[in-house]
Amino acid sequence: MAGSGNDRLSPRVAGWLAIAGSLVVAVVGGFLLANPPWSILGAFVLVAATIVLSVGTVWLHRRSWHEPWPPDATPSLQQQIRRLRVLSIVGSILWVGMIAAGVVAIVSQNGWRLLFVAFFLVTGLSNLSLNRRTLRLLQESRSEDGSASAAR
């Protein structure tokens, strides 16, 4: 037979229909929210519209109803290493910026700003050390994989 009833509507078409429907429902919810006796119902309608919009957006990314969800999108080892290197560079730049903001806080004698900057400096420093440790582990696993494949 040609196909069951579930195959008539592709996930992408269903996604676009769900998004369009959620926009209409959101407008209705907005009007309900503006009228005091119906405000609580309007809030619930807006929540429902948000949920349907999210589901429709997920459906847009599916090719068929039979494909597994979520798809396996595990990045390769090279992509992970590249991403960690970029994050380390960005973290270093932000860390230098926070040092500059700390100097401004010291010069302006603003204790709260200095405390705020110190918190972000400590957080950034811990992120940098975590990135370095993770990058080292990934590079070690890459070298082990390379030596294991070369031994074969």
Side-chain angles (χ1 to χ4, degrees), residues 147-152:
S147 63
S149 63
R152 289 183 202 165

Side-chain angles (χ1 to χ4, degrees), residues 31-99:
F31 282 121
L32 288 174
L33 196 63
N35 295 318
W38 302 100
S39 296
I40 294 175
L41 179 62
F44 285 122
V45 168
L46 285 175
V47 168
T50 304
I51 292 169
V52 171
L53 178 72
S54 301
V55 170
T57 304
V58 169
W59 285 348
L60 279 179
H61 296 287
R62 294 185 73 146
R63 292 188 187 110
S64 74
W65 294 113
H66 303 293
E67 94 179 69
W69 190 262
D72 183 26
T74 306
S76 70
L77 190 60
Q78 278 299 101
Q79 290 172 329
Q80 290 177 352
I81 289 173
R82 190 177 317 121
R83 190 173 297 141
L84 272 174
R85 285 181 180 155
V86 168
L87 283 175
S88 295
I89 292 168
V90 169
S92 299
I93 292 169
L94 291 176
W95 205 65
V96 170
M98 290 307 289
I99 289 174

